[in-house]
């Protein structure tokens, strides 16, 4: 598991969403908008997204973590913290 900085985590989130929802228009999604609502992700799409994020970031994401994965900024922050990217060297 490689520590992610904010830019890397944000890019990973956007790439994963784009893979699950190929026609996702990120211009419609603000950093604090609930992307699941804006991009109309259903439950299976969301689970696919969680799986991709877990796989690509190399972290375990449990069901109790789902409330931390509602907005682009919150999901980015979650990945940075979970990978240890927010720690000082």
């Amino acid at each position: 598991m490689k520590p992610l900085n904010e830019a890397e985590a944000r890019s990973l989130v956007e790439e994963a969403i784009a893979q699950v929802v190929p026609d996702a228009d990120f211009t419609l999604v603000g950093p604090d908008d609930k992307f699941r609502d804006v991009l109309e992700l259903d439950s299976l799409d969301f689970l696919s997204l969680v799986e991709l994020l877990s796989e690509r970031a190399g972290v375990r994401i449990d069901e109790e973590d789902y409330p931390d994965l509602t907005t682009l900024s919150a999901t980015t922050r979650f990945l940075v913290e979970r990978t240890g990217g927010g720690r000082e060297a």
Side-chain angles (χ1 to χ4, degrees), residues 14-82:
E14 289 183 358
E15 288 170 13
I17 291 172
Q19 186 167 341
V20 173
V21 184
D23 59 345
D25 183 356
F26 289 101
T27 62
L28 301 174
V29 186
D32 296 315
D33 291 339
K34 293 188 183 215
F35 61 78
R36 190 171 171 181
D37 295 336
V38 175
L39 299 174
E40 299 178 5
L41 271 70
D42 63 23
S43 298
L44 289 176
D45 290 337
F46 182 72
L47 290 176
S48 295
L49 174 63
V50 169
E51 219 173 89
L52 277 171
L53 292 173
S54 177
E55 194 176 286
R56 292 184 180 176
V59 297
R60 181 182 172 121
I61 301 175
D62 297 312
E63 193 170 341
E64 61 261 16
D65 298 321
Y66 293 178
D68 294 329
L69 308 175
T70 57
T71 67
L72 293 176
S73 60
T75 305
T76 298
R77 190 170 39 254
F78 172 85
L79 291 176
V80 169
E81 291 171 3
R82 187 58 63 96

